[in-house]
């Protein structure tokens, strides 16, 4: 923790210095640097010193140590600022920005990469694929930006030669959903010329040293940078940059980001075109200028997908329109041809670099910016060594410093005054006057440059310098020329001028200001590229579709374009909560932080966030105003000595007090969540119970209704069955509801019994024996035998017929037996015995009736019967149909009579089997 760092490391926060002066400030900074402490806080900002070596303080363990912690809990670090900005964005749903500023080589590019690395590491804990894809694209875009926008300088092997503003967009969960990168002032002059010991952009050396033989052959290139004018000086410059490895990394990143193969190939074709253009030479043949070596022209035409004649024409001629609308072609001199070539190369390289950077940054936005809640930004500004670019980037630094002054110094003190906080005003230098010197309309330096660029006639850089002296000579930060300071031998006459910037005096060389400020590219080159058959290149040059007579309005100058973009950048940053990795205005910042308050919040929002930490404010307070409720919270935690009460806001002096409240809130949140979950689950259970009760009530009512409807329908259908001939047999029963299925079955049985009774009750008692026998036979045969004599009258007691003689009666008895001896016999069945009757003999006893255990009949029309006995002495009988009625079936009568008798008297009878 920062508060536990020993004194041997110095003060971890400059606010803790005993005295705020430059000597103690630098002494503390030096001590911490010597102890490998490269970061030091100024309140919520951090001062970073470039160690110019790799340090083991950016690993996974370091990320976990800073994740979700407050600023002062850990030693100063970029991760602490990144986490603070992320927490502020997530907690308060407020856009935040991190401004990284510093001189060339201060480590701004690396700092921005570490910030992105930290944000990527702490987000998306659920590892959702779409979020991981966004994070991967954001991280991979860095190496693409470095390849096409960074170069080796005398102070830095990987110096960013452009300013960038990076948006990282988050959803409501705090996970990144996309991003966008705006670029400012790419150093296009570096494409054609570099200082001694410096290199061109990395992408050229990566291609030449890392490209495959087939790639280089397709681009008509060799693998030695010394063979090309634009990379020759940088080929011998010593650098720690690994071009071969970086080339493979960039190719991989381009694929990950989403570049198509056509786009990647077009990017490297443009690189090849630029290198070959640099080797073009011109010679004068009498009055005309010729290109030396037409082979290079053919290669350029092939790489740009244009015609060789059109390439040659664009290099050697310029198409202009006269005042009368006539179009003529004007030949170049050798010097003009070289100038046009370099101008085309610079703009081609500038457009190409911007197009590549634009694609790599814009592709992240296609991954989803629709779920946007708030975003966190990283703005990196760089310092360049060339005069015009140096002037522009210093103007950018002045604008950012002005923003810093407005947000940290001016607005903060104004807010204390507005809120009625007792405050001792601190004087500071407001650099608005310097910003006005540069950008003020009609009077500023940019306006003077634009006016000179638009003037008719020959206007030189020296004339422009004289114009600045004439218009701005009385300005408090006057751009002084050498003739105004004859004793200052550090400036040259008619070339140099000096501006008193916020960071100190800076001397500029006016040489090249006008050429770099205006657009020197002829329309012929734009039309050449617009007519390319390559769609990627064609899209990069939309101005080429205009004919020479349509091009009437001069394009905006480089300085004006840069000013407009910087003004837009400052407007974006001014509406966000800033966090600084800064290097200017440090002492003023320390003084304001020491005397000011680290945190402020409106009473309503403060109460909404921390009301659960006080018994008097949870869940809702009963006090007169929100301020009184806030005072109750502060008093309960003993923080009254560390806060001040404004008219509408509470001001907290130290982050430690805020951390105390955050700790208490974090401890209570789980308890409140459990309580709310319990209440909500109880409410849900009660709602479910009420719904179930209502459902059951509805179901009960509906079931009762269905039962009643069924009863009503049965009653309607069977209302007149008593008067029907079949007593309701022909009436169709309604389908019952599921609840009445069993009841319906019972009701049908009851109806059948009632109907049977209605039929049976009219049968005479003398016929009941026959009815019982037929019912018994019906149940036994069960439809297995088609004809069993049901339709005839069963006499059953054939011996009672007195009209026949005894012998005849015996003969006509339908019980006959077929045995081994083929004689007619008769069976006489009484209630106790079975007798065998023989006409020639007396009655013979066969066996007792209870000995019969069952009988079997066939399913056909035969009269075969098998009587089964308990002694297993079965008897097979064949019943004669008889003389009385030869066609009558007697099987049913026998089966019915026996089963009826045995059912009522003998328990051992097993029934009849039909087989």
């Amino acid at each position: 923790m920062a508060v536990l760092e020993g004194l041997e490391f110095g003060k971890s926060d400059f606010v803790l210095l005993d005295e705020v002066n430059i000597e103690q400030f630098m002494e503390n900074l030096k001590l911490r640097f010597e102890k490998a402490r490269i970061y030091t806080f100024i309140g919520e900002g951090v001062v970073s010193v470039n160690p110019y070596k790799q340090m083991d303080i950016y690993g996974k363990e370091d990320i976990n140590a800073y994740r979700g912690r407050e600023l002062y809990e850990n030693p100063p670090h970029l991760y602490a600022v990144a986490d603070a900005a992320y927490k502020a964005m997530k907690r308060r749903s407020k856009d935040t920005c991190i401004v990284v500023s510093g001189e060339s080589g201060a480590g701004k590019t690396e700092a921005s990469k570490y910030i992105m690395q930290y944000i990527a590491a702490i987000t998306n804990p659920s590892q959702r694929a779409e979020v991981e894809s966004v994070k991967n694209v954001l991280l991979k875009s860095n190496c693409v930006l470095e390849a096409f926008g960074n170069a080796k300088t005398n102070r830095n092997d990987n110096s960013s030669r452009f300013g960038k503003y990076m948006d990282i967009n988050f959803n409501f969960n705090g996970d990144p959903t996309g991003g966008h990168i705006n670029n400012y002032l790419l150093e296009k002059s570096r494409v054609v010329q570099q200082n001694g010991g410096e290199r061109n952009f990395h992408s050229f050396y990566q291609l030449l040293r890392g490209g495959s033989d087939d790639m280089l052959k397709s681009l008509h290139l060799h693998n030695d940078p010394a063979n090309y004018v634009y990379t020759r000086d940088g080929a011998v410059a010593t650098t720690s940059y690994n071009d071969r490895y970086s080339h493979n990394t960039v190719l991989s990143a381009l694929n990950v980001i989403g570049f198509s193969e056509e786009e990647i190939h077009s990017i490297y074709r443009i690189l090849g075109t630029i290198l070959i253009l640099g080797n073009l030479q011109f010679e004068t043949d009498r009055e005309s200028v010729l290109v030396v070596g037409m082979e290079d022209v053919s290669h350029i035409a092939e790489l740009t997908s244009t015609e060789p004649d059109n390439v040659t024409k664009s290099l050697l001629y310029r198409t202009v329109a006269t005042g009368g609308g006539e179009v003529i072609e004007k030949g170049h001199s050798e010097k003009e041809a070289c100038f046009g070539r370099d101008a085309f190369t610079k703009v081609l390289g500038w457009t190409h670099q911007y197009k590549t950077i634009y694609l790599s940054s814009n592709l992240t936005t296609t991954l989803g910016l629709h779920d946007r809640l708030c975003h966190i930004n990283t703005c990196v500004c760089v310092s360049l060594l060339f005069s015009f670019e140096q002037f522009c980037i210093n103007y950018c630094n002045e604008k950012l410093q002005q923003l810093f002054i407005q947000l940290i110094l001016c607005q903060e003190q104004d807010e204390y005054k507005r809120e009625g906080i007792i405050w001792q005003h601190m004087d500071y230098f407001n650099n608005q006057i310097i910003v006005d010197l540069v950008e003020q309309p009609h009077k500023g330096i940019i306006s003077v440059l634009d006016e000179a660029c638009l003037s008719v006639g020959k206007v030189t850089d020296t004339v422009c310098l004289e114009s600045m002296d004439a218009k701005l000579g009385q300005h408090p930060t006057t751009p002084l020329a050498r003739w105004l300071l004859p004793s200052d031998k550090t400036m040259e006459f008619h070339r140099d001028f000096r501006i008193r910037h916020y960071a100190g005096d800076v001397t500029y060389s006016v040489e090249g200001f006008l050429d770099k400020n205006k657009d020197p590219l002829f329309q012929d080159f734009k039309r050449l590229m617009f007519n390319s058959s390559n769609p990627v290149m064609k899209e990069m040059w939309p101005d080429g579709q205009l004919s020479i007579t349509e091009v009437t309005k001069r394009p905006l100058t480089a300085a004006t374009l840069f000013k407009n973009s910087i003004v837009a950048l400052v407007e974006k940053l001014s509406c966000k909560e800033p966090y600084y990795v800064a290097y200017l205005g440090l002492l003023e910042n320390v003084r304001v932080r020491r005397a000011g308050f680290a945190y402020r919040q409106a009473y309503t929002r403060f109460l909404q966030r921390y009301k659960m930490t006080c018994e008097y404010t949870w869940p809702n307070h009963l006090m007169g105003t929100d301020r009184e409720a806030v005072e109750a919270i502060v008093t309960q935690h003993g923080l009254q000595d560390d806060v001040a009460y404004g008219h509408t806001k509470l001001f907290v002096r130290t982050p430690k007090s805020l951390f105390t409240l955050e700790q208490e809130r974090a401890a209570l949140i789980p308890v409140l969540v459990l309580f709310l979950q319990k209440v909500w689950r109880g409410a849900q259970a009660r709602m479910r119970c009420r719904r179930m009760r209502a459902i059951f009530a509805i179901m009960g009512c509906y079931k009762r209704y269905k039962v009643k409807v069924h009863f009503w329908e049965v009653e309607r259908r069977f209302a007149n069955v008593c008067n029907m001939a079949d007593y309701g047999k022909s009436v169709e029963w309604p389908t019952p509801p599921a609840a009445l299925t069993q009841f319906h079955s019972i009701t049908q049985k009851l109806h059948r019994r009632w109907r049977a009774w209605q039929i049976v009750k009219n049968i005479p008692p003398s016929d009941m024996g026959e009815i019982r026998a037929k019912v018994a036979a019906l149940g036994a045969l069960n439809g297995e035998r088609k004809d069993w004599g049901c339709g005839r009258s069963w006499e059953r007691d054939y011996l009672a017929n007195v009209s026949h003689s005894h012998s005849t009666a015996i003969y006509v008895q339908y019980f006959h037996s077929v045995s081994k001896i083929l004689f007619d016999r008769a069976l006489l069945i009484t209630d106790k015995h079975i007798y065998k009757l023989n006409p020639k003999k007396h009655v013979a006893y066969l066996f007792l009736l209870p000995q019969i255990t069952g009988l079997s009949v066939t399913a056909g029309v035969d009269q075969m019967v098998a009587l089964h006995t308990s002694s297993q002495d079965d008897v097979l009988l064949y019943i004669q149909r008889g003389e009385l009625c030869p066609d009558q079936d007697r099987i049913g009568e026998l089966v019915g009579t026996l089963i009826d008798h045995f059912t009522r008297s003998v328990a051992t009878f097993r029934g009849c089997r039909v087989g």
Side-chain angles (χ1 to χ4, degrees):
M1 295 179 66
V3 295
L4 298 179
E5 280 190 337
L7 293 177
E8 67 272 16
F9 299 112
K11 301 293 179 62
S12 61
D13 194 329
F14 284 116
V15 175
L16 304 177
L17 289 176
D18 297 329
E19 296 182 20
V20 182
N21 53 55
I22 190 62
E23 291 77 14
Q24 285 212 10
F25 187 94
M26 294 305 298
E27 182 181 347
N28 186 66
L29 194 66
K30 180 182 178 183
L31 174 61
R32 291 186 60 77
F33 180 76
E34 292 172 348
K35 297 291 184 178
R37 299 297 193 272
I38 63 173
Y39 298 117
T40 310
F41 282 134
I42 301 181
E44 293 182 344
V46 69
V47 177
S48 172
V49 180
N50 192 343
Y52 288 99
K53 64 179 181 180
Q54 293 293 328
M55 299 191 69
D56 188 22
I57 58 174
Y58 305 103
K60 186 175 181 180
E61 293 182 358
D62 299 284
I63 291 174
N64 292 332
Y66 284 88
R67 180 185 308 201
R69 310 308 292 264
E70 299 301 324
L71 272 172
Y72 74 92
E73 287 190 271
N74 287 306
H77 200 290
L78 279 175
Y79 291 167
V81 175
D83 194 79
Y86 179 76
K87 285 202 301 284
M89 177 270 298
K90 194 172 180 181
R91 285 177 180 174
R92 301 195 289 274
S93 300
K94 184 175 182 180
D95 292 347
T96 60
C97 63
I98 301 175
V99 181
V100 184
S101 62
E103 297 178 344
S104 179
K108 301 175 295 300
T109 299
E110 292 300 312
S112 65
K113 288 196 293 186
Y114 286 131
I115 291 171
M116 288 182 61
Q117 170 187 311
Y118 180 80
I119 296 297
I122 66 173
T123 53
N124 194 30
S126 59
Q127 296 294 307
R128 289 193 302 151
E130 63 272 19
V131 178
E132 286 300 305
S133 176
V134 173
K135 287 162 53 175
N136 198 24
V137 169
L138 289 173
L139 294 176
K140 290 293 185 181
S141 64
N142 270 324
C143 65
V144 177
L145 294 174
E146 289 183 8
F148 294 94
N150 289 23
K152 170 188 166 48
T153 66
N154 290 320
R155 301 182 63 181
N156 186 358
D157 282 359
N158 188 32
S159 177
S160 296
R161 312 316 298 162
F162 65 101
K164 64 182 177 182
Y165 171 80
M166 180 181 298
D167 271 336
I168 305 176
N169 307 287
F170 297 85
N171 61 15
F172 67 95
N173 286 326
D175 295 329
T177 57
H180 185 76
I181 302 172
N182 288 335
N183 307 284
Y184 304 93
L185 195 68
L186 183 71
E187 187 188 11
K188 59 184 179 183
S189 60
R190 180 170 292 273
V191 177
V192 299
Q193 183 181 7
Q194 307 91 40
N195 286 345
E198 297 188 355
R199 300 205 315 175
N200 210 323
F201 291 102
H202 293 323
S203 54
F204 294 104
Y205 303 95
Q206 290 175 1
L207 171 62
L208 295 175
R209 289 173 173 164
S212 65
D213 293 339
D214 291 340
M215 174 182 279
L216 293 177
K217 183 177 179 181
S218 67
L219 300 176
H220 306 290
L221 298 176
H222 305 286
N223 58 7
D224 186 3
N227 291 340
Y228 302 97
V229 173
Y230 291 156
T231 56
R232 184 175 298 160
D233 294 339
V236 296
T238 58
T239 178
S240 59
Y241 205 79
N242 189 327
D243 296 312
R244 182 181 297 275
Y245 171 79
S246 299
H247 175 71
N248 296 329
T249 303
V250 170
L251 282 178
S252 174
L254 288 172
N255 285 292
V256 170
I257 291 173
F259 281 81
S260 66
E261 290 297 328
E262 181 184 10
E263 289 171 335
I264 295 175
H265 191 53
S266 298
I267 289 171
Y268 287 102
R269 289 176 69 172
I270 294 176
L271 287 178
T273 300
I274 292 172
L275 292 172
I276 296 174
L277 273 171
N279 285 1
L280 278 182
Q281 296 181 357
F282 302 94
E283 62 181 5
T284 304
D285 181 16
R286 297 181 181 178
E287 296 182 355
S288 62
V289 177
L290 303 176
V291 179
V292 178
M294 291 302 294
E295 183 180 6
D296 286 342
V297 174
S298 299
H299 292 163
I300 292 171
E302 178 185 340
L303 295 177
T304 57
S305 300
T306 56
E307 296 296 328
D309 292 343
N310 293 338
V311 175
T312 304
K313 185 177 178 181
S314 299
L315 290 169
L316 300 180
Y317 297 91
R318 179 187 178 188
T319 305
V320 295
T322 63
E326 182 182 358
V327 178
I328 60 174
E329 291 183 352
K330 179 183 178 183
H332 291 315
S333 65
E334 185 175 344
K335 182 178 180 180
E336 289 174 337
C338 292
F339 178 80
R341 177 203 61 193
D342 289 345
F344 177 48
T345 303
K346 286 190 292 184
V347 177
L348 183 65
W350 174 79
T351 308
H352 162 253
Q353 309 287 64
Y354 260 100
K355 181 65 176 180
T356 304
I357 293 172
Y358 172 77
L359 285 173
S360 66
S361 61
N362 253 9
L363 275 171
T364 62
T365 65
T366 64
L367 296 175
L369 293 179
H370 309 293
D371 205 13
R372 189 176 193 172
L373 175 65
C374 46
H375 52 271
I376 181 171
N377 320 108
T378 303
C379 173
V380 181
C381 52
V382 298
S383 298
L384 308 175
L385 299 178
F386 288 89
S387 57
F388 177 75
E389 291 84 359
Q390 182 70 55
F391 167 77
C392 290
I393 205 62
N394 284 345
Y395 160 64
C396 173
N397 287 335
E398 290 288 352
K399 290 289 289 185
L400 293 177
Q401 181 61 27
Q402 181 195 27
L403 177 67
F404 174 79
I405 290 172
Q406 288 178 343
L407 295 180
I408 301 301
L409 305 178
C410 181
Q411 287 185 8
E412 185 144 341
Q413 296 196 81
D414 290 345
E415 185 176 30
Y416 295 149
K417 182 178 179 181
R418 185 171 59 252
E419 288 288 329
I421 302 297
I422 299 176
W423 172 262
Q424 182 179 358
H425 184 78
M426 294 185 177
D427 294 329
Y428 57 87
F429 174 68
N430 191 335
N431 71 331
Q432 181 64 49
I433 191 172
I434 303 175
V435 173
D436 291 340
L437 170 68
V438 177
E439 70 176 16
Q440 189 174 15
H442 310 297
K443 296 181 181 179
I445 295 177
I446 292 179
S447 295
V448 174
L449 288 173
D450 289 353
E451 183 179 345
C453 291
L454 298 176
S455 297
V456 179
K458 188 169 183 63
V459 180
T460 62
D461 294 325
T462 304
V463 173
C464 180
L465 180 60
E466 293 174 355
S467 178
M468 280 194 291
D469 282 334
K471 291 187 176 183
L472 303 172
Q474 303 301 319
H475 196 276
T477 57
T478 303
L480 299 174
R482 172 67 192 274
W483 56 74
L484 299 177
L485 294 172
S487 61
D488 188 352
K489 297 183 180 180
T490 60
M491 295 190 297
E492 292 189 13
F493 285 105
H494 307 295
R495 191 194 72 178
D496 297 345
F497 66 96
R498 182 175 297 156
I499 296 178
R500 187 169 296 115
H501 284 288
Y502 182 90
D505 292 350
V506 179
T507 301
Y508 298 96
S509 172
V510 77
E511 289 182 351
F513 262 55
L514 294 183
D515 288 339
K516 293 176 181 179
N517 187 44
K518 61 187 176 182
D519 181 9
L521 185 65
F522 301 136
Q523 186 69 15
D524 301 77
F525 290 112
K526 297 179 182 179
R527 283 195 296 273
L528 173 70
M529 296 304 296
F530 180 77
N531 292 322
S532 169
S533 59
N534 186 312
V536 177
M537 297 187 186
K538 181 182 182 73
E539 184 185 359
M540 293 166 59
W541 301 83
D543 291 346
Q545 62 182 322
L546 301 176
S547 67
I548 190 63
T549 57
E550 293 176 312
V551 182
T552 57
K553 184 179 179 181
R554 285 182 177 267
L556 295 177
T557 62
T560 298
L561 289 172
F562 184 69
K563 180 191 74 172
N564 294 341
S565 62
I566 293 302
V567 169
L569 169 64
V570 171
E571 288 178 355
K572 288 182 180 179
L573 295 178
S574 61
C575 63
K576 309 180 192 306
E577 184 173 327
Y579 292 82
Y580 282 90
V581 182
Y583 83 115
L584 288 178
L586 302 181
L587 286 179
E588 291 90 341
N589 193 4
V590 172
R591 292 190 181 100
V592 173
R593 292 292 184 184
R594 281 169 65 100
F597 297 88
Y599 176 81
R600 75 286 320 272
Q601 188 63 271
Y603 291 126
T604 303
R605 295 197 65 179
F606 184 91
L607 180 63
Q608 185 68 27
R609 185 166 185 80
Y610 300 110
K611 64 180 181 179
M612 71 286 297
T613 64
C614 178
E615 58 183 327
Y616 303 110
T617 57
W618 178 258
N620 295 299
H621 69 87
L622 300 176
M623 302 175 190
T625 62
D626 287 345
R627 171 173 173 168
E628 295 178 13
V630 170
E631 289 179 1
I633 296 174
V634 172
T635 302
Q636 179 163 321
H637 291 85
L639 304 177
Q640 54 269 31
D641 294 333
D642 199 41
V643 302
Y645 299 97
H647 298 313
T648 62
K649 294 180 180 180
L650 174 73
F651 292 81
V652 182
R653 190 176 301 278
T654 62
K656 188 172 183 179
S657 297
L658 187 64
F659 179 62
T660 300
L661 292 170
E662 284 292 334
Q663 276 189 319
E664 183 70 17
R665 180 180 183 273
L668 289 172
I669 287 297
V671 179
L672 295 176
V673 169
L674 289 176
F675 174 75
L676 292 174
Q677 286 178 340
K678 179 184 70 173
V679 173
W680 174 241
R681 286 170 182 166
Q684 280 187 316
R686 287 188 290 273
M687 287 189 292
R688 283 196 298 268
C689 182
R690 286 194 292 268
R691 283 198 299 268
M692 292 300 293
R693 286 177 178 173
I695 290 171
F696 285 130
I698 294 172
M699 289 173 60
C701 292
Y702 182 71
K703 287 180 179 178
R704 288 192 293 272
Y705 168 75
K706 293 291 288 183
V707 167
K708 291 179 180 179
V709 168
H710 179 69
F711 288 161
W712 294 335
E713 183 64 19
V714 171
E715 182 181 8
R716 185 185 67 80
R717 294 190 182 189
F718 289 85
N720 197 33
V721 292
C722 293
N723 300 323
M724 293 182 180
D726 60 355
Y727 296 106
K729 181 181 179 180
S730 60
V731 176
E732 183 180 357
W733 286 80
T735 304
L740 291 179
T741 301
Q742 185 177 2
F743 179 81
H744 181 71
S745 177
I746 296 172
T747 305
Q748 286 181 316
K749 289 181 180 179
L750 290 174
H751 174 257
R752 287 195 294 269
R753 288 191 177 186
W754 173 83
R755 178 174 165 272
W757 170 246
Q758 294 298 319
I759 296 173
V760 169
K761 74 179 182 179
N762 296 320
I763 299 175
S766 59
D767 294 338
M768 288 305 296
E770 180 183 356
I771 295 299
R772 285 197 304 269
K774 286 186 177 182
V775 170
L778 176 64
L781 297 175
N782 195 22
E784 296 291 338
R785 191 176 175 96
K786 182 178 179 182
D787 185 14
W788 48 275
C790 179
R792 68 178 179 83
S793 176
W794 292 357
E795 295 186 25
R796 301 179 69 242
D797 188 4
Y798 290 90
L799 295 179
N801 190 348
V802 298
S803 62
H804 295 85
S805 64
H806 175 73
S807 59
T808 304
I810 294 174
Y811 180 78
V812 299
Q813 178 66 27
Y814 56 88
F815 300 110
H816 287 260
S817 172
V818 177
S819 185
K820 294 180 180 179
I821 302 174
L822 300 177
F823 294 106
D824 289 337
R825 292 175 176 84
L827 289 180
L828 178 62
I829 302 174
T830 69
D831 57 349
K832 294 182 179 180
H833 301 87
I834 296 180
Y835 299 93
K836 177 176 67 172
L837 301 181
N838 191 327
K840 299 179 180 181
K841 297 181 180 180
H842 296 288
V843 176
Y845 167 75
L846 189 60
F847 41 73
L848 294 173
L849 192 62
Q851 291 179 313
I852 301 297
T853 61
L855 74 161
S856 299
V857 298
T858 66
V861 297
D862 59 79
Q863 302 295 297
M864 192 73 68
V865 179
L867 296 178
H868 307 291
T869 66
S870 58
S871 61
Q872 297 185 351
D873 185 16
D874 296 347
V875 177
L876 181 64
L877 307 173
Y878 183 82
I879 302 174
Q880 184 178 347
R881 292 182 181 269
E883 297 177 351
L884 299 177
C885 296
D887 296 330
Q888 290 180 350
D889 189 283
R890 305 293 181 93
I891 289 295
E893 187 174 356
L894 173 62
V895 171
T897 301
L898 288 176
I899 290 178
D900 177 55
H901 173 75
F902 280 102
T903 301
R904 291 185 288 111
S905 60
V906 181
T908 58
F909 188 77
R910 294 192 296 269
C912 174
R913 183 174 67 85
V914 181

